[in-house]
Amino acid sequence: MSILDQLYEKAKLNPQKVAFPEATNEKMMQAAYETGKDGYILPILVGNAEEIRALCAERGYDESVFTIVDINNEEYKNEIIEKYVALPDTRLKAKALGRRMADPLYFAMVMQAVGDAGVTFAGIDNTTGDVLLAGQMIIGLKPGISTISSIGLCDIPGFEGSEGSLLAVGDSAVCTNPNPEQLADIAISACETVKSLLDWEPRCAMVCYSTLGSGQGELIDKVLEALKIANEKRPDLAIDGEFQFDSAISPAVAAKKVKRESKVAGKANVVIWPDLNVGNIGVKLIQQFGKANAYGPMLQGFNSVVCDCSRGAPVSEIKGNVILSAVRAAGMK
């Protein structure tokens, strides 16, 4: 059974409420319908209820699969606004929040913040910037985290790592050139993500072009400072470095290059890139030459799960990301 099959089964055992603020989008509605009909999630379509119902009929979908939430329902809107402003550390007052909730993206996230949904899933009609801004404003960041980032899961044929063919990598999509504090946040968030999604005990490697002092320079200094910050923030997590990529994932290479005790060297299941250039190129090399399936990117750092899918993603990919997001949401509870 593939990792995706395992996660699908996990989702069915505890289906989560997933809010779709781009409900009228054809691909998004199809993904919501098929994942809901098959029992992986409980899909919530957020928008103009009359328009959503008309499109359901036009596209041949059984409306009973969905919960349809009308953003024009003033009674429900006022109810969740009241709940939201009563939460600690909320950034918006009732009037300002009400104005923003004319946008289904903000409406869905308020539902999520008050517990009426477990995930907000968007990204086709909204830009990444739209989703990130709304998420930071409404959902907020986890305590101790100030950086939104992403993680991907690579299933690499022929790779025999500490988790079989699987390796989690980040950030390959969001943070262009993270400073040491941001890089530390990325590592901590990545550990939390793999715990909630896969039940792994994370072993997180901070990688660059040096292994434990074999190279010198400001690029290495950044990784070392990030490692120090991450270990100070979360001494309970196995985050180590600085390692070259092969020292992080290969026991044979680690045995030669790492001459001290390490819970991570040679058996990392999470790899943290030093910047987006490395991350983007690294993932594409794994995909092209390693023939890997790469799932994600999954946003991380928010108080609860927010998803931004690729605008060019096919329905099959959207469905996979919806299900991954639901499993993460269940694991975070």
Side-chain angles (χ1 to χ4, degrees):
M1 183 182 290
S2 73
I3 182 60
L4 206 56
D5 290 335
Q6 294 174 42
L7 291 170
Y8 277 29
E9 290 305 308
K10 196 173 181 180
K12 272 190 173 180
L13 294 174
N14 188 11
Q16 299 295 298
K17 295 178 180 178
V18 180
F20 294 88
E22 299 166 345
T24 57
N25 181 280
E26 187 170 3
K27 290 199 295 185
M28 203 64 91
M29 184 181 280
Q30 182 182 345
Y33 182 74
E34 291 179 5
T35 50
K37 180 173 61 69
D38 292 339
Y40 298 116
I41 66 164
L42 304 172
I44 304 169
L45 303 185
V46 181
N48 182 305
E50 186 176 338
E51 183 181 2
I52 291 169
R53 289 193 170 96
L55 286 171
C56 280
E58 180 183 315
R59 294 168 181 170
Y61 295 142
D62 178 359
E63 187 185 310
S64 68
V65 169
F66 303 117
T67 296
I68 298 174
V69 171
D70 191 351
I71 62 171
N72 300 309
N73 181 335
E74 290 297 320
E75 182 179 353
Y76 178 60
K77 178 180 176 180
N78 291 333
E79 177 188 323
I80 60 174
I81 288 175
E82 184 178 346
K83 288 180 181 178
Y84 181 83
V85 297
L87 295 171
D89 302 322
T90 51
R91 299 176 62 180
L92 294 174
K93 301 300 182 185
K95 283 187 178 179
L97 184 62
R99 287 194 295 270
R100 291 184 182 277
M101 288 172 68
D103 182 339
L105 179 64
Y106 282 82
F107 200 107
M109 288 197 183
V110 174
M111 290 178 61
Q112 180 176 341
V114 303
D116 286 3
V119 178
T120 297
F121 196 95
I124 293 183
D125 296 333
N126 290 278
T127 66
T128 296
D130 294 335
V131 177
L132 295 180
L133 179 62
Q136 290 178 80
M137 188 172 292
I138 303 299
I139 303 299
L141 303 186
K142 284 185 174 182
I145 298 295
S146 57
T147 306
I148 297 303
S149 59
S150 75
I151 192 169
L153 183 64
C154 298
D155 190 355
I156 310 164
F159 174 54
E160 296 180 1
S162 62
E163 307 293 345
S165 62
L166 300 178
L167 183 68
V169 298
D171 177 0
S172 306
V174 178
C175 292
T176 305
N177 186 21
N179 62 34
E181 291 78 12
Q182 292 171 323
L183 200 56
D185 280 355
I186 293 168
I188 293 167
S189 295
C191 290
E192 297 290 355
T193 298
V194 298
K195 273 187 176 181
S196 64
L197 181 64
L198 298 158
D199 300 323
W200 287 355
E201 193 58 40
R203 293 180 298 278
C204 178
M206 310 283 284
V207 300
C208 59
Y209 65 86
S210 170
T211 296
L212 301 184
S214 66
Q216 294 182 346
E218 62 181 24
L219 298 178
I220 298 168
D221 292 342
K222 180 178 83 166
V223 174
L224 286 170
E225 181 62 21
L227 176 65
K228 179 183 175 184
I229 294 167
N231 286 334
E232 287 173 352
K233 279 188 172 184
R234 293 294 301 274
D236 58 306
L237 296 173
I239 303 174
D240 201 359
E242 89 281 15
F243 298 136
Q244 290 162 292
F245 185 76
D246 54 356
S247 298
I249 64 167
S250 168
V253 175
K256 293 178 181 178
K257 292 187 176 183
V258 180
K259 301 301 183 182
R260 63 160 170 80
E261 186 177 344
S262 174
K263 295 179 180 178
V264 176
K267 46 186 179 289
N269 52 20
V270 181
V271 169
I272 302 302
W273 313 117
D275 59 50
L276 194 57
N277 260 330
V278 178
N280 183 275
I281 294 167
V283 166
K284 293 185 185 303
L285 285 171
I286 292 169
Q287 287 176 297
Q288 292 298 315
F289 295 110
K291 307 301 179 185
N293 290 315
Y295 304 109
M298 296 172 274
L299 295 179
Q300 54 185 18
F302 292 110
N303 273 320
S304 52
V305 180
V306 173
C307 289
D308 171 54
C309 71
S310 168
R311 276 179 278 179
V315 172
S316 59
E317 185 178 310
I318 295 172
K319 287 169 60 179
N321 285 336
V322 167
I323 293 167
L324 289 178
S325 302
V327 174
R328 283 179 66 201
M332 289 173 69
K333 288 185 177 178

